[in-house]
Amino acid sequence: MRLRHIRGAEESIASSPYVVQEPEKQKGQWQQVFGNTHPIFIEVGMGKGRFIMELAQQHPENNYIGIERYSSVLLRALQKREELELPNIQFMCVDAKQMADYFEKGEVSHIYLNFSDPWPKDRHAKRRLTSPEFMKVYEQILAEDGKVEFKTDNRGLFDYSLEAIPQAGWKIETFTFDLHHSPMAEGNVMTEYEMKFASEGKPICKLVASPRQEASPNNIA
Ligand code: SAM
């Protein structure tokens, strides 16, 4: 995403009631933040937030948290957020690498990664949001039946993810190389990037992954 610093972005975010300030203080306390025990769904790298705000509108029975590390980008989402009556969504301006500092094991039900930056150079592989380093972070906070959903137009990043995610000990539950022409399209909510790429006729890839369960006397087939 091309970034232009917006003057005052940090100040607006620091004073916004829609941004969780000092999220490390909420670790293990997220039910109090939302005032209920509904499951928590997170989008990592939400950009301007179209996707997660649409989901929050469609599903009042869930809680949503949008994570975006750049204040100038998050500011755009906040401007949109202010026009909506949504009690079930909050934002965080943090690097997702630190998520295990903010959530206890099992506090998060679902993680969405949408059109994540590809970081094509090998030396930047650890920055990819589907790298083993990030999958380890997600595993530390997800519920036992939790899942990660990943969409991208970038075939190189997708092929990498199809290999890297199982190497990290996760199971790929399902995937497609052409989401919009597959059964997985049902109920699909488009992101900003997805709308742009779809209008250019680019196929969108999607996978769903879950942390593989350790074999135990109870779950050996
Ligand atoms: N998900 C949106 C969409 O599909 O329209 C935005 C996609 S944009 C290409 C990727 C976003 O992820 C950028 O806004 C970037 O700042 C954010 N991002 C990348 N790495 C991140 C990280 N480690 N923590 C938080 N946000 C991150």
Side-chain angles (χ1 to χ4, degrees):
M1 177 174 284
R2 196 179 307 145
L3 270 185
R4 192 167 51 86
H5 183 258
I6 299 174
R7 202 184 305 158
E10 284 85 3
E11 291 77 2
S12 301
I13 283 163
S15 62
S16 171
Y18 307 126
V19 180
V20 180
Q21 316 292 340
E22 302 186 284
E24 60 283 350
K25 291 193 178 158
Q26 308 307 335
K27 186 170 176 170
Q29 316 279 335
W30 285 93
Q31 295 185 353
Q32 288 172 28
V33 173
F34 286 103
N36 59 50
T37 58
H38 300 170
I40 293 180
F41 290 63
I42 292 181
E43 184 183 9
V44 173
M46 64 160 191
K48 295 179 193 162
R50 177 190 193 278
F51 171 85
I52 195 156
M53 284 189 257
E54 175 74 32
L55 281 189
Q57 282 178 293
Q58 286 184 11
H59 295 282
E61 74 281 11
N62 295 330
N63 294 321
Y64 292 89
I65 300 175
I67 293 184
E68 170 54 55
R69 76 176 152 182
Y70 289 118
S71 54
S72 298
V73 181
L74 179 53
L75 187 66
R76 298 286 180 231
L78 281 181
Q79 287 163 347
K80 206 180 311 173
R81 168 73 179 83
E82 277 157 19
E83 295 161 14
L84 302 168
E85 280 283 319
L86 283 176
N88 59 336
I89 185 166
Q90 288 283 330
F91 301 125
M92 286 163 56
C93 194
V94 295
D95 186 334
K97 201 68 180 272
Q98 309 306 326
M99 283 166 86
D101 295 341
Y102 311 136
F103 299 95
E104 286 288 3
K105 173 80 184 153
E107 256 189 323
V108 177
S109 293
H110 210 94
I111 295 174
Y112 298 102
L113 311 172
N114 291 322
F115 300 86
S116 312
D117 301 317
W119 296 107
K121 292 185 179 147
D122 284 348
R123 69 172 191 276
H124 293 146
K126 286 184 179 176
R127 298 182 193 176
R128 297 174 194 154
L129 294 184
T130 51
S131 66
E133 288 77 9
F134 272 96
M135 298 311 293
K136 209 168 167 183
V137 172
Y138 308 146
E139 201 168 347
Q140 286 176 65
I141 63 173
L142 270 179
E144 259 176 37
D145 58 350
K147 297 209 183 330
V148 165
E149 285 190 29
F150 171 52
K151 292 195 277 189
T152 183
D153 65 304
N154 188 302
R155 187 59 193 265
L157 178 63
F158 195 68
D159 288 345
Y160 161 84
S161 306
L162 285 175
E163 280 190 21
I165 291 175
Q167 278 169 12
W170 287 58
K171 182 176 174 212
I172 307 265
E173 305 264 352
T174 179
F175 71 93
T176 173
F177 294 116
D178 192 359
L179 171 62
H180 295 173
H181 300 101
S182 85
M184 287 172 80
E186 199 187 325
N188 182 50
V189 172
M190 296 239 249
T191 78
E192 269 101 358
Y193 271 65
E194 186 171 359
M195 290 175 87
K196 178 175 168 289
F197 293 133
S199 72
E200 294 167 2
K202 287 191 182 165
I204 305 300
C205 304
K206 176 171 177 175
L207 66 79
V208 181
S210 55
R212 201 172 287 159
Q213 302 297 310
E214 295 285 326
S216 74
N218 293 329
N219 66 9
I220 290 173

